[in-house]
Amino acid sequence: MQEISNRLIQSYALSPERRHALYRRTLVVVILSQIFGGAGLAAGVTVGALLAQQMLGTAGLAGLPSALFTLGSAGAAFLVGRISQRRGRRVGLSAGFIAGGIGAAGVVLAAVTNNVTLLFVALLVYGSGTATNLQARYAGTDLAPARGRATAVSMAMVSTTLGAVAGPNLITPLGAFATSLGIPALAGPFLLAAAAYILAGIVLFFWLRPDPLLLATAITNQDQAAAAAAPDAPSRPEPPLNSRGVTVGTTVMVLTQVAMVAIMTMTPVHMRSDGHGLTEVGIVIGIHIGFMYLPSLVTGMLVDKLGRVPMAIAAGLTLLAAGIVAATAPAQSMMQLMIALALLGLGWNFGLISGTALIVDATPLETRAKTQGSIDVLIALAGATGGALSGVVVAGTSYATLSLAGGILSLLLIPVVIWAQRTRPARTG
């Protein structure tokens, strides 16, 4: 707390208007960083599997890059969460983004030198950007009112759309630019990722001041101390950790992540095997990423107004629909694949925002960032599992089987959230 002076704490504690203005400014800074962050994450999603297939010479291991950078994001989520708890969001998030940029640069070097070992190591480090891009969504909630937390998450996420949609649609020009530099075309998007992640880190490091988490924690601590010093005054202690809420929120996000990553990872490989070009792959993945983030503003409002549980159920049903549409898509049907990947992104969006809101509702400020980081580790490991197994499943069966399995798996979150709604007091909607 030494980074926040008592005078500054007092000025915000005594002025709800000033605190709200800081909340809005924090969202602006987070939104700007997320625009760059979205461009950075799009590289691995779009061409990571294709680059590995090219370097390894087999489609069976094409899911490995997704598994590696998702595994790397698990370690980064743990570290970023703990750094953020101790030093604030500004330090934790900026460090994570810059590490992701270094990893992206390492992927480019690995492609140039055809060094598979370096590729694997670089993908692990590149995962730091993915983890940080997700954890940045929490920064907007630290100063948000309780019933506006999902909306705050959605505002942070929707800004990712600008960079994330642009990234896949720049595959062809980035590939041409990379080739002109003597770099393999598939490594081109990672050039963009390196620059974008580093810029996101710079934005957060210099402009996310005062730190929203440190300030919110300090104000809460001051309020509690004042209440303890005046026993007759009305007290509003911060709710303790709600373990059931954490469990349900985590389950929702883990299951949606597994289903989404598994299907998304193998879609470019499936399309290439059916004769689709890189531009077509970029369009489909661009639409998918757009639907992952663009509906966020509407989703956030729905989660705040309709409740966390109904929107989590909607996530499971939407992901099932995505799996069915993908599994039944004819080999040359771009339209059906676009619809399937749009539904896949939308279902993930529903699950991530409702699950995030459940987690924020259930965690006190003094442990919130650390708990969020630990949960994001589980989400990342779930994604790594989905990515690693996706190539094996497709190689052993088919893309249709993988898609149906992912859709059916996502349905498991429905009984979990219904159980939670029936067995815990209603406090999150």
Side-chain angles (χ1 to χ4, degrees), residues 285-351:
I285 296 300
I287 289 172
H288 166 65
I289 296 177
F291 273 84
M292 285 174 67
Y293 295 101
L294 192 57
S296 295
L297 283 178
V298 174
T299 303
M301 290 187 288
L302 290 174
V303 171
D304 279 335
K305 292 183 182 299
L306 300 181
R308 282 58 164 147
V309 170
M311 292 305 295
I313 293 173
L317 295 175
T318 305
L319 289 169
L320 175 63
I324 293 172
V325 175
T328 58
Q332 298 303 317
S333 176
M334 272 281 291
M335 180 58 67
Q336 193 163 332
L337 281 176
M338 286 191 288
I339 293 171
L341 271 289
L343 288 170
L344 187 68
L346 184 62
W348 179 87
N349 180 271
F350 289 169

Side-chain angles (χ1 to χ4, degrees), residues 216-231 234-240 364-366:
T217 304
I219 291 173
T220 299
N221 291 342
Q222 186 182 79
D223 289 345
Q224 291 174 348
S235 165
R236 290 186 300 174
E238 190 180 11
L365 277 166
E366 62 264 20

Side-chain angles (χ1 to χ4, degrees), residues 235-421:
S235 165
R236 290 186 300 174
E238 190 180 11
L241 177 71
N242 178 351
S243 299
R244 185 171 289 145
V246 170
T247 300
V248 175
T250 302
T251 301
V252 170
M253 291 192 287
V254 164
L255 289 177
T256 55
Q257 185 78 358
V258 171
M260 186 276 290
V261 170
I263 298 172
M264 174 200 68
T265 296
M266 294 311 297
T267 297
V269 176
H270 170 69
M271 291 181 68
R272 291 289 279 168
S273 68
D274 284 339
H276 294 284
L278 283 177
T279 300
E280 293 172 308
V281 171
I283 291 171
V284 170
I285 296 300
I287 289 172
H288 166 65
I289 296 177
F291 273 84
M292 285 174 67
Y293 295 101
L294 192 57
S296 295
L297 283 178
V298 174
T299 303
M301 290 187 288
L302 290 174
V303 171
D304 279 335
K305 292 183 182 299
L306 300 181
R308 282 58 164 147
V309 170
M311 292 305 295
I313 293 173
L317 295 175
T318 305
L319 289 169
L320 175 63
I324 293 172
V325 175
T328 58
Q332 298 303 317
S333 176
M334 272 281 291
M335 180 58 67
Q336 193 163 332
L337 281 176
M338 286 191 288
I339 293 171
L341 271 289
L343 288 170
L344 187 68
L346 184 62
W348 179 87
N349 180 271
F350 289 169
L352 188 74
I353 294 180
S354 60
T356 298
L358 284 165
I359 295 299
V360 176
D361 290 341
T363 51
L365 277 166
E366 62 264 20
T367 60
R368 183 170 294 167
K370 183 171 64 175
T371 303
Q372 290 163 347
S374 298
I375 291 167
D376 277 3
V377 170
L378 295 177
I379 296 169
L381 291 175
T385 302
L389 293 179
S390 62
V392 176
V393 172
V394 170
T397 56
S398 66
Y399 176 76
T401 300
L402 174 72
S403 300
L404 284 175
I408 292 169
L409 177 67
S410 66
L411 287 181
L412 293 177
L413 65 85
I414 295 178
V416 172
V417 296
I418 291 176
W419 162 79
Q421 191 177 40

Side-chain angles (χ1 to χ4, degrees), residues 76-118:
F78 181 85
L79 293 174
V80 169
R82 274 152 180 75
I83 293 170
S84 297
Q85 192 71 64
R86 292 172 61 89
R87 302 291 303 279
R89 301 284 189 192
R90 181 178 69 89
V91 175
L93 295 176
S94 59
F97 270 131
I98 291 171
I102 293 170
V107 172
V108 175
L109 181 60
V112 170
T113 59
N114 198 31
N115 188 325
V116 174
T117 302
L118 177 58

